Amino acid sequence: MARPRNQTARRAQLITAAGRAVSTYGPARVRVADIADAAGVARGSVHYYFRDLGDLLEQVYKDAVDRFFTQRLDAVTGLRDARDKLVVCARRGLPTGPDDELVRLLYWFGPETTDNPVFAAHGQGLFDRQVAVYTGILEVGEAQGHFTLTESAIDIAANLVTLEDGYGLHIVTGNRSVTPERALSLVLGYARTATGCANLTPDRPVQEHPRA
């Protein structure tokens, strides 16, 4: 089979299809054939990119690290004010809505990682990286005089990431009481309490800049 020119787009297409298939059959019963059917491609096309479901999950975690760590870090690095950094970081840490397939897959496959040390390590690594981003922002904010932390920076950071994870689950399962906007407001509410900074609001005007 000829190699598609845009492998990234094809992988993204298959991951989206995997999300639909997993939602239909559940993570324990879904097969590569189900993903192929959802994507409207031959089974061999799926195997071309992913050896098996384990390989697919590896890619899901790689994409999650890129989105929730690398891209977040890039977004806040170009900002000088720690208050801007924290608001942008929080906004980027939540699902876009119930149809956010990457996040849906992370939650669906969560129980599958329990007995797999490799995937468990991926999950912990993703969490630790996100905590590190928030910790750095909190320390910068303290140095700038904007934040007066009520706990250690790393503890506040861990709570922020855990809040994102918790609200994110409600968002992707369609809880209409927890929209992305409402979740952002709640996460920043905790951030205001934990930092003593009243300026951490969803409507804070922030101009994001690309990393230099």
Side-chain angles (χ1 to χ4, degrees):
M1 184 179 86
R3 181 180 294 271
R5 292 182 179 180
N6 192 339
Q7 296 186 66
T8 300
R10 177 53 62 86
R11 280 180 174 269
Q13 175 195 4
L14 293 174
I15 287 174
T16 299
R20 294 196 297 270
V22 170
S23 297
T24 301
Y25 300 102
R29 297 177 56 194
V30 69
R31 303 169 301 161
V32 169
D34 300 322
I35 297 171
D37 289 343
V41 300
R43 191 180 310 180
S45 297
V46 181
H47 283 296
Y48 181 82
Y49 289 96
F50 307 109
R51 294 186 307 275
D52 51 31
L53 289 176
D55 192 30
L56 170 62
L57 185 53
E58 287 270 4
Q59 185 60 45
V60 167
Y61 273 111
K62 287 179 181 178
D63 288 354
V65 168
D66 178 63
R67 173 175 165 183
F68 292 112
F69 170 66
T70 306
Q71 292 183 29
R72 276 217 269 190
L73 185 60
D74 286 348
V76 302
T77 296
L79 303 172
R80 295 183 178 179
D81 192 311
R83 294 169 296 185
D84 294 338
K85 290 176 181 284
L86 197 146
V87 171
V88 169
C89 190
R91 183 177 292 119
R92 284 173 167 260
L94 293 165
T96 58
D99 58 349
D100 192 323
E101 295 292 356
L102 176 61
V103 180
R104 286 175 63 87
L105 273 173
L106 286 172
Y107 285 118
W108 268 111
F109 278 114
E112 300 298 300
T113 68
T114 304
D115 299 321
N116 188 314
V118 174
F119 295 148
H122 285 321
Q124 180 177 341
L126 176 59
F127 178 84
D128 290 344
R129 287 181 175 92
Q130 294 179 93
V131 169
V133 174
Y134 268 122
T135 299
I137 292 171
L138 292 165
E139 291 174 344
V140 169
E142 196 171 35
Q144 291 177 342
H146 298 313
F147 300 162
T148 301
L149 305 184
T150 59
E151 303 173 70
S152 69
I154 193 170
D155 285 351
I156 295 173
N159 283 331
L160 286 167
V161 175
T162 302
L163 282 173
E164 290 175 355
D165 289 345
Y167 290 132
L169 179 59
H170 286 282
I171 291 170
V172 299
T173 54
N175 184 342
R176 288 180 292 180
S177 295
V178 186
T179 63
E181 295 78 15
R182 174 63 172 155
L184 177 61
S185 178
L186 291 167
V187 170
L188 291 178
Y190 166 72
R192 290 194 297 273
T193 300
T195 63
C197 179
N199 303 127
L200 303 175
T201 58
D203 59 354
R204 181 178 177 83
V206 179
Q207 182 65 47
E208 295 187 41
H209 302 285
R211 193 174 191 179

